């Protein structure tokens, strides 16, 4: 029996992630029971805390690994980008614990996006996490949405039946330490990271690139000390947002 290689890989990743998460759920459960024992000495309790943190990192790694697999079905929808960002605002506030503030700016009368919202949500979340982490301990992250006058050069739309007529760019800017020039070409590769903490998996930007590939978007960046910008170029289908009836 022959199988399509990309489909087989996606099924493998989803299956592995599912099984590993089941194991980690069981692991978390028994670990919680052990830590409830009031007779534990401080050394043992500290050891269990470290194991718990490691299990949490492993769960996050499996979630991000699963995000690299193509969804079984991409479902494009019309999205009002400003409303979409407002809906995500509470989750942004949780991410912003490591940054001083996150600001959002949208041009008026933006085109409607045409893409799978789950992929956009995931890409935005990873980019904002990355930006907030870069600005520690107290920096700023600015999200800006603007319409583009023309499509990206030589770009092929993922769904040829419904080619976009307009484009939107969402940029995420932080005032952190910046990206070293020698690794600019590597940052979207799996496990590429300059962060030294064991809790950093190095998959965030890989997930972003994968999500945008799935929805026909592009990701670009530029960076220098004190300013890093990631730009997502996204497909849209209408000239501007539909105005609600009075």
């Amino acid at each position: 029996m022959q199988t399509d290689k990309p489909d087989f890989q996606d099924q493998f990743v989803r299956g592995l992630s599912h099984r590993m998460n089941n194991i980690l759920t069981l692991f978390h459960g028994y670990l919680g029971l052990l830590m409830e024992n009031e007779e534990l000495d401080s050394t043992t309790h500290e050891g269990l805390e470290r194991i718990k943190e490691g299990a949490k990192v492993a769960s996050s790694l499996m979630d991000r690994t699963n995000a690299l697999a193509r969804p079984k079905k991409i479902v494009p929808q019309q999205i009002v980008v400003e409303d979409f960002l407002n809906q995500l605002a509470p989750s942004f506030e949780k991410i912003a614990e490591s940054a001083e503030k996150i600001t959002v700016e949208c041009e008026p009368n933006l085109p409607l996006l045409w893409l799978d919202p789950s992929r956009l949500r995931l890409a935005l979340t990873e980019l904002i996490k990355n930006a907030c982490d870069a600005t520690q301990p107290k920096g700023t992250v600015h999200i800006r949405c603007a319409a583009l006058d023309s499509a990206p050069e030589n770009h092929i739309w993922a769904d040829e039946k419904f080619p976009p007529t307009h484009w939107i760019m969402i940029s995420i800017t932080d005032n952190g330490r910046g990206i070293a020039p020698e690794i600019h070409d590597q940052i979207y590769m799996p496990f590429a990271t300059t962060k030294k903490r064991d809790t950093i998996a190095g998959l965030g930007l890989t997930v972003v690139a994968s999500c945008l590939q799935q929805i026909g978007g592009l990701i670009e960046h530029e960076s220098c000390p004190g300013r890093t910008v990631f730009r997502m170029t996204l497909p849209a289908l209408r000239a501007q947002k539909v105005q609600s009836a009075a």
Side-chain angles (χ1 to χ4, degrees):
M1 180 181 68
Q2 292 183 337
T3 58
D4 179 71
K5 188 175 181 180
D7 286 343
F8 174 79
Q9 291 174 341
D10 293 334
Q11 291 174 19
F12 174 78
V13 169
R14 283 193 292 266
L16 176 63
S17 178
H18 177 71
R19 288 178 179 269
M20 286 298 298
N21 278 326
N22 284 343
I23 294 171
L24 287 167
T25 298
L26 183 65
F27 190 83
H28 280 294
Y30 279 106
L31 187 60
L33 290 174
L34 287 172
M35 294 183 70
E36 288 178 1
N37 186 350
E38 296 180 356
E39 297 181 0
L40 288 178
D41 60 84
S42 59
T43 301
T44 302
H45 195 276
E46 181 181 351
L48 291 175
E49 281 286 359
R50 291 188 178 185
I51 295 172
K52 182 180 179 181
E53 182 63 28
K56 182 179 177 181
V57 173
S59 296
S60 176
L61 177 60
M62 293 314 303
D63 288 341
R64 286 178 167 180
T65 300
N66 189 44
L68 295 175
R70 293 175 301 176
K72 295 181 179 179
K73 188 175 183 181
I74 295 288
V75 183
Q77 298 177 20
Q78 291 182 348
I79 298 171
V80 179
V81 64
E82 187 173 5
D83 293 347
F84 188 78
L85 290 174
N86 287 335
Q87 292 171 5
L88 292 178
S91 63
F92 292 166
E93 291 175 2
K94 292 180 181 179
I95 297 171
E97 290 180 358
S98 57
E100 185 175 15
K101 62 180 178 179
I102 296 178
T103 60
V104 180
E105 174 190 0
C106 290
E107 287 185 353
N109 298 322
L110 285 171
L112 291 173
L113 291 173
W114 177 254
L115 45 77
D116 188 314
S118 67
R119 300 292 91 185
L120 176 58
R121 183 184 303 109
L122 184 54
L124 271 170
T125 300
E126 291 294 345
L127 283 174
I128 292 171
K129 282 181 181 178
N130 192 68
C132 287
D133 188 62
T135 63
Q136 289 185 2
K138 284 191 176 182
T140 59
V141 175
H142 184 61
I143 304 168
R144 184 175 185 274
C145 305
L148 295 181
D149 295 332
S150 60
E153 186 176 355
N154 299 324
H155 182 57
I156 300 175
W157 169 231
D159 188 347
E160 296 181 357
K161 295 181 180 178
F162 299 98
T165 56
H166 298 81
W167 297 82
I168 285 179
M169 179 177 288
I170 302 179
S171 63
I172 293 91
T173 304
D174 70 69
N175 61 350
R177 53 189 171 271
I179 302 168
E182 61 270 18
I183 65 167
H184 269 237
D185 296 334
Q186 306 171 21
I187 62 173
Y188 301 105
M189 299 296 292
F191 309 112
T193 181
T194 59
K195 300 165 187 174
K196 304 302 182 183
R197 300 198 308 273
D198 292 337
T199 55
I200 300 298
L203 284 178
L205 292 178
T206 308
V207 170
V208 172
S210 177
C211 287
L212 291 179
Q213 183 182 44
Q214 293 164 14
I215 59 178
L218 295 174
I219 181 69
E220 300 173 297
H221 73 279
E222 62 179 72
S223 181
C224 63
R227 185 176 185 271
T228 297
V229 186
F230 282 89
R231 298 184 179 93
M232 295 190 295
T233 303
L234 303 166
L237 286 182
R238 293 186 181 179
Q240 63 182 43
K241 171 181 174 179
V242 176
Q243 301 295 329
S244 59

